[in-house]
């Protein structure tokens, strides 16, 4: 009977139908979605930290309002994605437990420090730029709740990308020191942004199956190339130099060739040895522990109200 169900499922995927939470799905499909959606949710939540670092030091009220809104959006994306993940039969508590115990992965990119204000520009421009390239195809992913979440998330990411690029533009039109600050931020964020899109297709263990299920619609290398092709002209417009001496437009392919990525650095960061992994985890775990009394109070209040209703 499972074979029959599996055939029906495969036929639905072939027809580009959305799979909904109560539909039959292969256990591996469910597990791989829990893996990717929860990693995505954790990334949004941890991703609030590097930028949260600059909210109190934003250079103007306008910059502060925009940054605050962006970080708040990321919290929203995280909660939205946790909800999508819960529809697959995993509880929010389990997901938090996986994050707080260090079992769960989240994006490598958020383990780098934000040293100057220009980092707010570089993150919006590059990190959110890469996120859009990665997430627009996910609006077409086969699992309904994930696909629908991505539509809204992508709209907000687009605002994030623009606010970052505008910070870069302002710095690049400013004093020499400001332009140097923008260049320094690009130097530090460029390579980690390329790594963020995941290992090469040859090293990516999940791509083949995820493409078959239409969870992934584009491979890591395809997304990376698209990101580079889109971003180089934007750097030119800023008058900044991408820190890659091998970067060169290839007339034949119509794409930019680029230098070798330091995959050793990538795996070190993924395994927990990046510059800020420990700091990020302890910030999250402390926030969770320090908020315990709030959760307890909310539960006690809800229970009291429930009892009142019964009485
Ligand atoms: N950081 C940390 N771990 C990573 C990264 C990364 N940048 N890229 C890949 N990995 C991990 C994978 O999670 C996987 O580990 P696992 O088997 O323990 O789960 C392993 O490296 C091998 O990678 P792939 O086989 O390529 O994994 P996958 O097919 O899931 O592709 C990708 C990775 C492209 C990140 C995919 O999961 C995806 O599109 N996720 C949704 C988007 C997302 O999570 N974005 C987070 C940052 S965007 C933002 O928050 C603003």
């Amino acid at each position: 009977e499972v074979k029959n169900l599996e055939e029906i499922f495969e036929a639905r995927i072939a027809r580009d139908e959305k799979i909904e939470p109560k539909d039959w799905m292969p256990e591996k499909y469910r597990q791989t979605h829990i893996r990717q959606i929860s990693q995505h949710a954790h990334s949004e939540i941890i991703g609030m930290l590097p930028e949260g670092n600059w909210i109190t030091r934003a250079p103007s009220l306008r910059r502060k309002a925009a940054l605050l809104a962006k970080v708040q959006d990321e919290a929203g994306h995280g909660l939205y994605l946790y909800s999508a993940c819960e529809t697959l039969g995993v509880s929010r508590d389990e997901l938090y437990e996986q994050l707080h115990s260090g079992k769960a992965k989240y994006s490598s990119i958020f383990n780098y420090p934000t040293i100057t204000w220009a980092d707010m520009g570089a993150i919006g421009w590059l990190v959110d730029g890469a996120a859009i390239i990665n997430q627009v195809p996910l609006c077409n992913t086969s699992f309904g709740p994930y696909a629908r979440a991505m539509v809204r998330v992508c709209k907000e990411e687009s605002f994030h990308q623009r606010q970052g690029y505008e910070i870069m533009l302002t710095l690049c039109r400013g004093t020499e020191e400001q332009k140097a600050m923008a260049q320094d931020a690009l130097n530090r964020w460029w390579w980690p942004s390329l790594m963020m899109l995941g290992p090469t297709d040859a090293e990516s263990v999940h791509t083949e199956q995820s493409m078959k299920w239409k969870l992934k619609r584009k491979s890591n290398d395809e997304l990376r190339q698209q990101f580079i092709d889109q971003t180089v002209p934007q750097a030119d417009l800023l008058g900044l130099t991408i820190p890659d001496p091998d970067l060169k437009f290839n007339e034949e392919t119509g794409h930019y060739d680029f230098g070798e990525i330091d995959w050793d650095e990538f795996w070190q960061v993924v395994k927990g040895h990046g510059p800020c992994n420990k700091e990020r985890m302890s910030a999250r775990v402390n926030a969770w522990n320090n908020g315990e009394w709030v959760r307890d109070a909310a539960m006690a209040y809800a229970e009291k109200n429930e009892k009142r209703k019964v009485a």
Side-chain angles (χ1 to χ4, degrees), residues 5 25 79 83 91 113 129-130 152 171 177 193 198 214 220 223 226 246 249 280 282 311:
L5 288 169
M25 61 185 81
L79 298 178
S83 297
S91 72
R152 175 188 177 148
L171 290 173
E177 283 89 345
S193 299
K214 298 183 179 171
N220 300 359
L223 295 171
Q226 194 184 331
D246 296 324
F249 189 72
R280 301 290 181 245
S282 81

Side-chain angles (χ1 to χ4, degrees), residues 24-311:
W24 186 90
M25 61 185 81
E27 183 55 19
K28 271 198 167 166
Y29 178 93
R30 197 177 72 85
Q31 287 301 340
T32 208
H33 276 77
I34 291 177
R35 178 186 66 78
Q36 179 166 324
I37 300 172
S38 66
Q39 285 175 359
H40 194 164
H42 298 324
S43 302
E44 298 282 356
I45 297 301
I46 298 284
M48 295 163 74
L49 296 168
E51 288 170 293
N53 180 32
W54 279 91
I55 292 173
T56 56
R57 293 175 288 167
S60 69
L61 182 61
R62 179 173 164 264
R63 293 292 184 204
K64 188 171 179 144
L67 186 61
L68 198 57
K70 175 188 195 290
V71 173
Q72 220 160 22
D73 285 349
E74 281 155 9
H77 297 174
L79 298 178
Y80 214 44
L81 285 163
Y82 282 129
S83 297
C85 201
E86 281 177 296
T87 68
L88 291 160
V90 60
S91 72
R92 182 97 45 133
D93 281 344
E94 275 174 84
L95 296 172
Y96 286 157
E97 205 281 318
Q98 289 169 4
L99 178 64
H100 299 153
S101 66
K103 241 191 286 163
K105 287 199 172 76
Y106 59 86
S107 184
S108 51
I109 193 76
F110 302 119
N111 292 305
Y112 290 85
T114 44
I115 298 164
T116 71
W117 171 253
D119 290 359
M120 298 306 98
I123 290 181
W125 172 35
L126 302 172
V127 176
D128 292 275
I132 294 171
I133 297 230
N134 167 258
Q135 290 170 22
V136 165
L138 290 175
C139 295
N140 252 323
T141 192
S142 62
F143 186 56
Y146 194 25
R148 290 188 288 274
M150 283 301 109
V151 174
R152 175 188 177 148
V153 167
C154 284
K155 284 186 183 158
E156 294 180 349
E157 295 292 3
S158 165
F159 153 63
H160 299 168
Q161 199 270 352
R162 278 154 206 234
Q163 69 88 39
Y165 193 71
E166 203 228 339
I167 291 174
M168 294 304 269
L169 204 57
T170 307
L171 290 173
C172 290
R173 287 175 178 163
T175 62
E176 248 172 61
E177 283 89 345
Q178 284 171 319
K179 187 157 185 190
M181 211 160 90
Q183 180 66 55
D184 168 64
L186 170 58
N187 293 349
R188 285 179 292 105
W189 289 94
W190 176 252
W191 292 102
S193 299
L194 299 188
M195 295 175 197
M196 178 184 156
L197 294 156
T200 60
D201 292 352
E203 298 284 318
S204 164
V205 288
H206 300 298
T207 294
E208 195 187 341
Q209 182 56 261
S210 291
M211 294 283 260
K212 278 189 195 147
W213 278 329
K214 298 183 179 171
L215 161 55
K216 274 174 119 162
R217 311 298 309 233
K218 286 190 178 180
S219 77
N220 300 359
D221 285 335
E222 280 179 277
L223 295 171
R224 195 166 8 252
Q225 187 67 58
Q226 194 184 331
F227 173 70
I228 293 169
D229 290 347
Q230 173 183 301
T231 309
V232 176
Q234 296 172 350
D236 290 344
L237 210 74
L238 294 171
L240 296 180
T241 309
I242 300 229
D244 178 358
D246 296 324
L247 188 78
K248 195 170 177 289
F249 189 72
N250 184 328
E251 297 285 350
E252 255 166 59
T253 59
H255 296 293
Y256 282 89
D257 293 336
F258 54 97
E260 189 138 352
I261 294 172
D262 183 352
W263 291 112
D264 189 46
E265 174 181 325
F266 171 74
W267 290 114
Q268 285 299 324
V269 175
V270 172
K271 285 179 192 148
H273 312 301
C276 299
N277 295 59
K278 288 205 175 72
E279 190 181 326
R280 301 290 181 245
M281 284 304 292
S282 81
R284 250 347 284 156
V285 171
N286 286 343
W288 178 252
N289 292 340
N290 293 339
E292 192 178 0
W293 69 273
V294 181
R295 296 191 299 278
D296 289 347
M299 286 306 285
Y301 182 74
E303 273 164 28
K304 202 167 83 183
N305 269 357
E306 203 51 43
K307 272 192 204 133
R308 247 191 230 136
K309 255 188 245 156
V310 175

